[in-house]
Amino acid sequence: MLKVLVLFLLLIAGIVVGPMIAGHQGYVLIQTDNWNIETSVTGLAIILILSLIVILLVEWVLRRLFRTGARTRGWFVGRKRRRAHRQTQSALMKLAEGDHKQVEKLLSKNADHAEQPVANYLLAAEAAQQRGDEIRANQHLERAAELSENDRIPIEITRVRIQLARNEDHAARSGIDRLLEVAPRHPEVLRLAKQAYVRTGAWGALLDILPSMQKSQVADDAQREALQQQAWLGLMNQAMADQGSEGLKRWWNNLNRKTRQETALQVAMANHLIECDDHDTAQEIVLDGLKRHYDDRLVLLMPRIKSGNPEALEKALRQQIKQHGATPLLHSTLGQLLMRHGEWQQAAEAFNQALAQRPDAFDYAWLADVYDRLHRPEEAAKMRREGLLLTLKNNPGL
């Protein structure tokens, strides 16, 4: 606008001043080696003005051309963005249908022009993995990494999820460890960490993230409790495998008292000790557990324990019968212990009390053996017949 104003003022000046100097135009000489250019001052002024007009005209034409190019490019870019938006919407519908091939194709085709290109490539990577194309999944993942500037968490989460889908458990665990350093309470990171740690047997690491899972409300209380027990049992198995009975007992003693009072752990620990032929320690754990809290699982372990003090087991059983009543399990277990010590008459009474409350094929068999010892063959035969009939009734396919 300013240039046009200057040009207009020059024209006005020429119109006004031109006639005034018409009789005094002056003389201008431009001399070179081969050329001499002669003109008046007025002629030179006109030439300069015309040159300025030509320059402004060329500038205007060029500006229009470049602006048209930018508009054209903007139109093409906008068209690609609109197409990417439509394809992303279609991909989401295909995702709901489970058509992973179309999902990947639609999300990746114009992903660079989508509103969230990183998200498009990440979803395309997971879709490619779902249909088993690991090469395409890696390509989409790497492209998303190239486009991502600062927020690397979504990319690493997707990478770990894909690794778990491929059963690359140790690689996934390595990625999870890095993610937990930057996002220790991220719900999805914790969910993936749970999977990676369970698969790789990283029981200590699993116990470490349980408080964060509780704060982030990842899984419910029952699920977290099951995970905790699974972790403790995993550590117990590792201690037994690495150091045997002695290492297992050291590991157990290093636990806090509250943890040692978990019934599931007591049952597992006693089982492991019985397998290691450490029956005395197994008996201590079972009896200590029953003093604090009655549980059928602890009672079921008693017949397997072969300690040097079996009377303690019998005493504990009779105490449990007084406290909890004459249950079939307690009488059956007592009968088995009495059989071991040759107290046949008392064993027969215990089995009869158990059978009076519920029929059981094992109790019939044990009672038959007791009657054999008591030289009562007819009753022994009757018990075996009852046990056989009960077995056939419970297993009609036999």
Side-chain angles (χ1 to χ4, degrees):
M1 191 67 180
L2 181 61
K3 294 177 181 178
V4 175
L5 179 62
V6 171
L7 180 60
F8 182 73
L9 292 175
L10 289 175
L11 289 173
I12 295 297
I15 293 172
V16 174
V17 178
M20 296 174 59
I21 62 172
H24 309 281
Q25 296 186 22
Y27 176 75
V28 176
L29 173 63
I30 300 174
Q31 189 175 24
T32 66
D33 290 340
N34 301 319
W35 298 91
N36 289 331
I37 301 174
E38 299 180 2
T39 183
S40 64
V41 174
T42 304
L44 179 62
I46 293 172
I47 290 172
L48 291 174
I49 291 172
L50 291 175
S51 298
L52 179 60
I53 292 173
V54 171
I55 292 171
L56 292 175
L57 181 62
V58 170
E59 180 192 14
W60 179 82
V61 171
L62 291 175
R63 189 167 61 249
R64 293 290 296 181
L65 287 175
F66 285 121
R67 184 177 297 171
T68 301
R71 287 178 179 175
T72 303
R73 287 194 300 273
W75 182 82
F76 279 111
V77 171
R79 181 170 176 268
K80 289 181 178 179
R81 286 179 179 173
R82 290 190 295 272
R83 181 182 296 175
H85 179 75
R86 289 195 302 270
Q87 289 172 338
T88 301
Q89 296 298 318
S90 299
L92 294 177
M93 295 301 296
K94 292 297 181 181
L95 181 62
E97 297 174 8
D99 189 349
H100 296 105
K101 183 177 181 179
Q102 284 298 316
V103 170
E104 182 207 349
K105 179 180 178 181
L106 292 169
L107 285 173
S108 61
K109 192 170 184 179
N110 287 291
D112 287 345
H113 303 284
E115 295 179 6
Q116 297 289 337
V118 173
N120 274 47
Y121 279 116
L122 292 179
L123 290 173
E126 294 207 51
Q129 180 58 42
Q130 285 289 337
R131 62 187 187 85
D133 192 340
E134 296 185 1
I135 295 177
R136 292 283 292 174
N138 290 337
Q139 290 175 347
H140 295 320
L141 198 58
E142 293 307 317
R143 181 56 180 159
E146 292 173 5
L147 294 176
S148 178
E149 297 178 356
N150 299 321
D151 190 5
R152 301 281 300 181
I153 293 178
I155 296 171
E156 295 306 318
I157 287 177
T158 304
R159 192 188 307 276
V160 169
R161 193 182 291 119
I162 289 175
Q163 288 170 339
L164 288 172
R166 297 174 183 172
N167 293 320
E168 299 174 359
D169 299 331
H170 290 283
R173 182 188 170 183
S174 179
I176 278 295
D177 290 339
R178 292 192 298 269
L179 278 169
L180 285 173
E181 292 178 359
V182 296
R185 293 188 182 180
H186 193 292
E188 185 61 18
V189 172
L190 291 171
R191 290 188 189 94
L192 294 173
K194 179 198 70 173
Q195 295 182 45
Y197 290 156
V198 168
R199 291 189 186 186
T200 58
W203 307 117
L206 180 59
L207 287 173
D208 290 340
I209 66 170
L210 287 177
S212 297
M213 291 178 64
Q214 182 178 7
K215 292 178 182 178
S216 300
Q217 296 182 347
V218 176
D220 56 30
D221 292 339
Q223 291 172 328
R224 287 193 297 271
E225 184 178 352
L227 283 173
Q228 185 181 45
Q229 289 189 3
Q230 185 178 7
W232 285 123
L233 293 176
L235 290 172
M236 186 184 298
N237 290 329
Q238 288 178 355
M240 178 179 172
D242 294 341
Q243 303 174 17
S245 175
E246 293 301 318
L248 185 60
K249 286 191 288 187
R250 283 195 299 271
W251 175 83
W252 180 259
N253 292 328
N254 288 332
L255 296 177
N256 60 62
R257 181 179 298 178
K258 183 178 179 181
T259 302
R260 289 200 304 268
Q261 292 176 1
E262 291 284 340
T263 304
L265 294 184
Q266 291 174 336
V267 173
M269 183 65 181
N271 261 314
H272 286 332
L273 290 169
I274 292 172
E275 292 175 11
C276 293
D277 202 27
D278 189 348
H279 294 271
D280 290 334
T281 307
Q283 178 171 298
E284 291 177 9
I285 292 175
V286 169
L287 294 179
D288 182 68
L290 286 173
K291 287 179 183 178
R292 300 179 183 278
H293 178 73
Y294 174 82
D295 194 285
D296 287 348
R297 292 171 293 178
L298 292 171
V299 176
L300 288 169
L301 289 171
M302 287 185 170
R304 297 175 53 199
I305 297 175
K306 301 174 183 178
S307 68
N309 183 23
E311 293 79 10
L313 292 175
E314 294 179 22
K315 182 180 178 181
L317 275 175
R318 296 185 189 280
Q319 184 66 29
Q320 294 298 322
I321 291 173
K322 290 180 181 180
Q323 292 180 357
H324 302 284
T327 67
L329 176 61
L330 289 173
H331 277 297
S332 176
T333 306
L334 179 59
Q336 295 173 59
L337 295 180
L338 292 169
M339 281 180 65
R340 188 186 301 169
H341 308 142
E343 299 176 11
W344 307 112
Q345 186 58 47
Q346 295 184 45
E349 294 174 1
F351 284 127
N352 275 309
Q353 291 188 54
L355 289 169
Q357 298 180 62
R358 58 99 179 90
D360 182 83
F362 290 104
D363 286 347
Y364 280 125
W366 284 318
L367 183 55
D369 292 339
V370 170
Y371 282 147
D372 283 335
R373 293 285 186 170
L374 292 172
H375 306 291
R376 296 158 66 176
E378 294 181 359
E379 292 175 286
K382 180 181 178 182
M383 292 301 102
R384 289 192 175 92
R385 186 167 57 253
E386 294 290 340
L388 178 60
L389 292 174
L390 181 61
T391 301
L392 294 174
K393 179 181 178 181
N394 293 334
N395 300 277
L398 293 178

